Amino acid sequence: MKKRCSLITIFVLLFSFTGAAQDFNENNDKWTKGWTNFTPNKTDYPEAEEKLSNIISDHTYLRNDIVYLISGDVYITNNASLTIQEGTIIRCDHENPASLIVTKGSKLIAAGSEAYPIVFTSNKAAKSRNSGDWGGIIIAGSGKVNTVSGNGVIEGKYNPQFSVYGGNMYNEETTILRYVRIEFAGNATKRKQGANGLSLYGIGSNSLVQDIMVSYSGQDSYSFHGGNNNVQNLISYKAKDDDYQISEGFKGNLNHLFAIRHPYITSSQGSYAIEVDGYNKELGSIRPSAITDVTITNATLVNLSDKTNYQHTTAAISANNSAVTYIHNSKISGFSDVIKFDETYTSMAMIQKAFMMDNSFFNIHNEGVIAINPAIQKSALNTLKYNRFTKNFVGVKDLFQDPQNNVVPKFQLKQSLNNYMVMQ
């Protein structure tokens, strides 16, 4: 990882990191306190009292003095809105795995609060819940997607009548989600794909997605398919598959992300904190400018690995189908590498246009970059310049202040950033 550079370049790098170090490693995770739950399997939730209809075609309001049950596929249709009061609990059936599908033109308005978050969770008793007990929440919008037709069909073989997404309403208010917890979703028995914690298809730019926690998803925690939006304050906790899957021309900023993984919780195909796809090969691509282009800022991507189990980890980020990704002011730790580029990245010039990471920190146990194209493997390491890193891999407990705290994990570095090396 060591390469020579001029004294001027070294001076500029050190000056920029010295000025940014204090902001980078300060306690900026205060937004996670008060509404999150890192031990959801120990929480006693009240039993469901009222079951929702499988077709909601009129404006419906859920009150927080009633505990609701969803069983099987529940569709919000006919341009109706489902509005959920802060503090409402929705239990989700595991025997007939539940999914909530918001069809194109309809809305889900779930605005919880820090004191009273809205909770979607398994209907199993405490200490018996598992990843993938139920399906998840799916929201179909009319925003732009990078497919030849400009539309798509929701993954997972849902009712075809209610499964179309995409269009030209890029500024649509598709949904309002704030202070929402989604626990034990991602069922893979009923559907091998498409049942993620929260799936957002073609959402509009006027949607609000903020302060969301997805815990123990059996598939992806978050899945973005096209659309245009700036989201913030998202937590993915111990997902089995990817934490953030971003595809089909999604464009926007993701600010303040947590992805907390465990080396023993992964899919057989390998799982990533972030998987970015420029387009869906089956649905085609409109034009190069329509590919996925995402900026990720203030992310904490951590695999809770140490020197006894780090060999089970993959790269933190998987970049595919020419996707464009910018990582800024972030921490990546416990993975084998920072990023893996698929075969569509055919030259170093292409990689330099498609990926940039700066003012960030990484702690990994391999070289740092995996390029499927062997001709660019060595030079691809240059993409990690302007970042700090550990000389040798450090276990999670030795690197961070309190990473396994059951109330709110703390991922501030134990040492000052100035104690780590600068990638040159």
Side-chain angles (χ1 to χ4, degrees):
M1 287 188 182
K2 297 179 181 179
K3 296 186 178 181
R4 293 184 179 180
C5 62
S6 69
L7 291 176
I8 294 176
T9 303
I10 294 173
F11 176 78
V12 171
L13 286 172
L14 292 178
F15 179 80
S16 63
F17 275 107
T18 301
Q22 183 176 359
D23 292 336
F24 177 90
N25 200 38
E26 68 181 4
N27 184 7
N28 62 355
D29 59 1
K30 294 179 181 178
W31 58 271
T32 64
K33 297 178 180 178
W35 62 277
T36 54
N37 184 355
F38 290 90
T39 56
N41 210 356
K42 297 180 180 179
T43 303
D44 288 313
Y45 292 110
E47 294 294 322
E49 304 165 274
E50 184 176 315
K51 182 181 176 182
L52 295 185
S53 170
N54 290 97
I55 300 291
I56 299 173
S57 56
D58 297 313
H59 298 309
T60 302
Y61 183 79
L62 304 186
R63 304 178 350 222
N64 61 17
D65 59 345
I66 297 174
V67 178
Y68 297 89
L69 173 71
I70 58 175
S71 180
D73 296 334
V74 174
Y75 295 91
I76 306 172
T77 69
N78 196 37
N79 298 322
S81 294
L82 177 64
T83 303
I84 305 176
Q85 186 180 18
E86 63 176 6
T88 302
I89 297 172
I90 299 96
R91 305 296 297 270
C92 304
D93 194 358
H94 69 282
E95 294 182 348
N96 182 16
S99 288
L100 179 64
I101 304 102
V102 184
T103 65
K104 189 174 170 179
S106 301
K107 290 184 181 180
L108 173 61
I109 303 173
S113 65
E114 185 176 349
Y116 301 102
I118 293 167
V119 180
F120 291 82
T121 192
S122 169
N123 70 333
K124 287 184 179 179
K127 300 180 182 179
S128 65
R129 301 166 192 141
N130 298 290
S131 300
D133 276 347
W134 61 286
I137 299 174
I138 298 165
I139 301 173
S142 302
K144 292 186 177 181
V145 295
N146 184 20
T147 64
V148 172
S149 66
N151 300 102
V153 177
I154 295 171
E155 293 179 333
K157 296 183 179 178
Y158 293 90
N159 188 327
Q161 181 182 356
F162 303 128
S163 297
V164 176
Y165 65 92
N168 293 313
M169 298 177 64
Y170 67 91
N171 60 348
E172 179 184 55
E173 185 185 86
T174 314
T175 186
I176 296 175
L177 296 175
R178 192 167 189 201
Y179 291 112
V180 177
R181 296 204 310 261
I182 302 169
E183 303 168 351
F184 305 103
N187 180 275
T189 302
K190 186 176 180 179
R191 292 182 172 93
K192 297 297 183 183
Q193 60 179 353
N196 306 304
L198 177 61
S199 299
L200 301 169
Y201 288 85
I203 63 169
S205 61
N206 286 332
S207 298
L208 178 66
V209 180
Q210 181 175 331
D211 301 299
I212 314 294
M213 181 176 191
V214 178
S215 305
Y216 294 101
S217 175
Q219 297 194 51
D220 299 337
S221 286
Y222 299 86
S223 184
F224 296 82
H225 296 253
N228 177 18
N229 197 258
N230 297 325
V231 305
Q232 65 178 354
N233 299 355
L234 305 184
I235 301 172
S236 171
Y237 186 63
K238 295 188 177 179
K240 186 173 183 181
D241 210 336
D242 303 323
D243 295 281
Y244 301 92
Q245 202 274 340
I246 308 166
S247 64
E248 294 180 25
F250 174 84
K251 295 185 183 298
N253 302 317
L254 278 60
N255 186 25
H256 285 120
L257 301 187
F258 267 71
I260 305 173
R261 304 194 58 83
H262 193 282
Y264 296 140
I265 304 176
T266 186
S267 70
S268 56
Q269 293 79 26
S271 304
Y272 305 93
I274 297 172
E275 182 175 2
V276 189
D277 286 277
Y279 59 92
N280 185 323
K281 286 186 176 180
E282 295 181 1
L283 301 177
S285 176
I286 305 172
R287 55 189 177 275
S289 62
I291 62 173
T292 301
D293 188 341
V294 60
T295 296
I296 297 170
T297 308
N298 297 314
T300 300
L301 313 177
V302 175
N303 199 312
L304 301 172
S305 63
D306 56 35
K307 293 181 180 179
T308 69
N309 54 30
Y310 68 75
Q311 67 272 18
H312 299 291
T313 63
T314 61
I317 304 166
S318 175
N320 308 282
N321 299 320
S322 307
V324 176
T325 311
Y326 172 40
I327 309 290
H328 174 67
N329 206 53
S330 297
K331 285 175 277 191
I332 296 174
S333 177
F335 297 89
S336 66
D337 297 89
V338 171
I339 188 166
K340 181 178 78 172
F341 296 102
D342 79 349
E343 68 280 356
T344 62
Y345 298 88
T346 56
S347 68
M348 191 58 203
M350 183 178 182
I351 286 180
Q352 288 173 334
K353 291 181 180 179
F355 179 77
M356 180 177 179
M357 176 172 153
D358 65 11
N359 197 44
S360 295
F361 167 87
F362 59 94
N363 168 52
I364 55 172
H365 58 85
N366 282 344
E367 286 296 310
V369 176
I370 301 171
I372 300 302
N373 186 336
I376 58 176
Q377 172 64 51
K378 186 175 181 180
S379 57
L381 288 172
N382 285 324
T383 59
L384 300 183
K385 290 194 299 185
Y386 317 124
N387 300 285
R388 290 191 180 271
F389 66 99
T390 54
K391 184 177 181 180
N392 299 300
F393 177 77
V394 180
V396 64
K397 291 182 180 179
D398 296 323
L399 186 66
F400 297 112
Q401 287 184 7
D402 195 3
Q404 295 175 316
N405 188 298
N406 287 331
V407 178
V408 176
K410 296 179 177 62
F411 292 101
Q412 285 70 50
L413 298 171
K414 286 186 175 181
Q415 298 185 34
S416 165
L417 268 180
N418 293 327
N419 292 327
Y420 297 102
M421 304 181 72
V422 180
M423 183 67 184
Q424 300 172 5

